[in-house]
Amino acid sequence: MRFTSFRARFVVLSIIVCISGFSQGMLLPLISFIFESRGISATLSGFHTAGLYLGVFISSFLIEAPMRKYGYQKLIIFGGLFVGVSLFLFPILDSIMFWFILRVIIGIADNVLHMSTQTWLTSTTPQHKIGKVIAVYGLFFSLGFMIGPKVADLVVYGTHVPFVLSSVITMLAWPLIFTLKGASEAKPDSDNVPITLLSTLTNFKTVIVYGWAALMFPMLYGFYESSLNSNFPVFAMRNGFEISQVTWILPMFNLGAILFQLPIGALGDRMGRGKLLTWLVAIGSIGFLLMELNKESFFMLTALFLMTGVACGSMYSLGLGYLTDVIPRTHIAAGNLLISIIFSIGSILGPVFGGSLISLSNGTLYFSFFTVVMVLVLIGNLIFRYQLKNRTNF
């Protein structure tokens, strides 16, 4: 059976991106656990984590042309296939260098899959529903990301177990794209400009001019998401926590995002995403500061991860919706790709800075750095909203 409705397309794409979130949520803490058990430094572990997002960064400059030429379906097939195969190869090619290469490949393939599903949805959703639709889409990704760390806990039964399980689940998910009628013809809207790297960079410039502040939130989300899932397991284990405790604390962030992603997305439609993001960043910065003050308490960290997940778990989807509010619709594809690039930059810097801070402080400092970064983003958004008000009178 092949489906044609928007709802069917939305459900299938959301399931696929849920599995994408699952594979990332499993991979980041899993390799951190393995590296920590093998005595590898937190700094090297952080740099190694950056391999995944290096792949995301590299691929983001190159996706727009094949997406416009070949359409969404072919890129989703490519991305899903390469993610599944790469995950299966981890226990076979067990070395730091090969694992870094596999992380880069997964970063490229996962970004191809993610950007194809994301652009397909944002370019076909009515503007008055964009916040709700992106919120639910982000909810599915967060659900997968929440489950991932618990699967990483299966490493106690053998290094290969979580890798193989994740590979099998990924290979079962992406073929759902074949259930959508007309998927092979679906492509981004054309602005009749020849597709070249130069035209992509020109589109990026327009997106930055019109929506630079909206780009800060996906970057911020990438910063703390990647760092929490790769650096926090190291930080926690050095402060006396067990692996099982870490795999309970980590999912709380995504649980908070899941519980409130939909109402927060709807609230953004009503009160304005720029205004809402200002409040959420302020709450999130306080949450991370409280984590620093309660870093040795399992119960307090569990509660604070949940609270901060509520405030910060929607920043990627809200930032994406915020961007669609302030840029021309013909630049949505370029905007999605630029968000991917900005997100990957944040995701690369997060584990590097986080791992270095843990090493330099001998495991005594970690969370307060997020507070500093979030306050800077808060100031930037206030400046942008003032500029926007003067430019457009809203």
Side-chain angles (χ1 to χ4, degrees):
M1 182 180 295
R2 309 189 82 184
F3 304 102
T4 58
S5 68
F6 172 81
R7 178 173 294 181
R9 180 168 69 248
F10 173 67
V11 170
V12 168
L13 296 181
S14 295
I15 291 173
I16 291 174
V17 82
C18 178
I19 302 305
S20 172
F22 165 77
S23 63
Q24 289 188 37
M26 183 278 302
L27 191 63
L28 292 171
L30 173 60
I31 296 181
S32 294
F33 290 146
I34 294 171
F35 280 4
E36 183 67 10
S37 68
R38 295 178 180 178
I40 295 172
S41 72
T43 302
L44 179 57
S45 181
F47 273 102
H48 200 278
T49 297
L52 178 71
Y53 299 102
L54 179 62
V56 173
F57 180 80
I58 294 171
S59 62
S60 296
F61 289 96
L62 307 173
I63 294 176
E64 185 176 19
M67 186 187 295
R68 291 186 184 275
K69 183 176 181 180
Y70 299 110
Y72 304 117
Q73 185 189 63
K74 291 183 177 64
L75 269 66
I76 290 171
I77 294 170
F78 167 87
L81 182 62
F82 271 78
V83 169
V85 171
S86 297
L87 287 169
F88 187 78
L89 290 176
F90 269 92
I92 298 174
L93 305 173
D94 191 349
S95 77
I96 292 180
M97 181 57 70
F98 279 122
W99 281 15
F100 183 81
I101 294 171
L102 288 173
R103 278 191 170 192
V104 173
I105 293 173
I106 288 178
I108 293 171
D110 216 7
N111 193 41
V112 168
L113 183 152
H114 203 161
M115 285 301 98
S116 298
T117 57
Q118 181 176 290
T119 304
W120 197 352
L121 278 179
T122 54
S123 62
T124 57
T125 301
Q127 191 66 28
H128 68 283
K129 294 182 178 180
I130 194 84
K132 183 178 180 180
V133 168
I134 294 176
V136 177
Y137 174 83
L139 185 151
F140 273 85
F141 183 84
S142 296
L143 177 63
F145 218 100
M146 183 185 74
I147 297 171
K150 291 308 295 180
V151 175
D153 202 4
L154 298 177
V155 70
V156 297
Y157 299 106
T159 302
H160 67 285
V161 175
F163 287 117
V164 173
L165 180 60
S166 183
S167 174
V168 170
I169 293 175
T170 299
M171 296 299 280
L172 292 174
W174 64 260
L176 290 173
I177 195 66
F178 293 114
T179 65
L180 299 179
K181 187 175 182 180
S184 59
E185 291 81 34
K187 298 179 180 180
D189 294 335
S190 174
D191 54 7
N192 297 316
V193 176
I195 304 168
T196 64
L197 179 58
L198 180 61
S199 67
T200 297
L201 293 176
T202 301
N203 289 339
F204 285 173
K205 180 181 177 181
T206 301
V207 172
I208 292 171
V209 169
Y210 280 92
W212 60 269
L215 298 171
M216 295 189 300
F217 299 99
M219 181 178 69
L220 179 62
Y221 184 84
F223 189 90
Y224 56 66
E225 179 206 60
S226 61
S227 181
L228 287 176
N229 282 275
S230 60
N231 298 142
F232 175 69
V234 176
F235 176 79
M237 292 175 72
R238 293 188 181 186
N239 282 273
F241 289 93
E242 301 293 333
I243 289 179
S244 59
Q245 291 178 306
V246 177
T247 58
W248 275 114
I249 296 173
L250 269 179
M252 290 300 105
F253 185 90
N254 289 289
L255 178 61
I258 289 169
L259 292 175
F260 285 85
Q261 185 122 193
L262 187 56
I264 284 177
L267 183 61
D269 284 335
R270 291 197 298 270
M271 69 179 289
R273 278 169 275 274
K275 183 177 181 180
L276 178 59
L277 280 164
T278 300
W279 283 103
L280 293 179
V281 171
I283 295 171
S285 63
I286 295 172
F288 279 115
L289 182 60
L290 290 174
M291 287 183 195
E292 191 72 79
L293 300 175
N294 296 274
K295 61 191 172 199
E296 297 180 355
S297 170
F298 169 76
F299 294 105
M300 284 299 297
L301 283 181
T302 301
L304 288 169
F305 263 67
L306 181 65
M307 184 197 86
T308 310
V310 172
C312 301
S314 301
M315 285 191 184
Y316 185 96
S317 57
L318 282 173
L320 179 60
Y322 193 12
L323 190 67
T324 63
D325 292 337
V326 295
I327 65 171
R329 289 192 70 83
T330 54
H331 286 68
I332 285 180
N336 275 273
L337 295 175
L338 189 55
I339 276 184
S340 176
I341 293 171
I342 295 296
F343 169 78
S344 64
I345 291 173
S347 300
I348 290 170
L349 294 177
V352 172
F353 281 117
S356 299
L357 183 60
I358 292 170
S359 294
L360 292 172
S361 67
N362 294 317
T364 60
L365 290 176
Y366 176 55
F367 297 110
S368 55
F369 188 67
F370 296 123
T371 299
V372 174
V373 174
M374 295 183 82
V375 168
L376 294 176
V377 170
L378 175 62
I379 294 171
N381 190 50
L382 290 173
I383 294 172
F384 177 78
R385 288 184 62 212
Y386 176 78
Q387 294 175 340
L388 191 66
K389 182 178 179 180
N390 290 340
R391 187 174 71 220
T392 62
N393 294 322
F394 61 67

